[in-house]
Amino acid sequence: MSATQAALTQLLPLAGDTFDKNKVTPGLLGFVVFAALAIGVWALMKSMNRHMGRVNFQEAPEPAAPPAAAPGEDATRA
């Protein structure tokens, strides 16, 4: 039996007197986990917004095509 299991078997009977089976709440641990997730999502959104602001959306101009030969000119002569 691990130390965690031993501690739980000793502490759970003590909580049995004060634990109301009809009222279950997430408690402090649930709030801490939710707050950590909320802060993480906020930080990711802020980082994404900063990175999206740095993106250059202007397309590069297409390279100019070589001029077409005029009618009557030999296209193989340069």
Side-chain angles (χ1 to χ4, degrees):
M1 182 180 276
S2 71
T4 306
Q5 289 175 338
L8 285 177
T9 55
Q10 291 177 0
L11 293 176
L12 281 179
L14 296 175
D17 297 336
T18 61
F19 182 69
D20 184 11
K21 292 182 180 178
N22 295 325
K23 182 181 176 188
V24 178
T25 62
L28 180 63
L29 179 63
F31 174 75
V32 170
V33 170
F34 181 77
L37 286 172
I39 291 171
V41 168
W42 176 78
L44 285 172
M45 294 284 288
K46 186 170 181 149
S47 174
M48 182 187 69
N49 193 18
R50 190 177 326 125
H51 281 86
M52 290 299 287
R54 293 180 185 170
V55 173
N56 183 5
F57 287 109
Q58 293 183 2
E59 295 182 17
E62 292 186 23
E73 286 186 14
D74 187 7
T76 59
R77 258 185 4 187

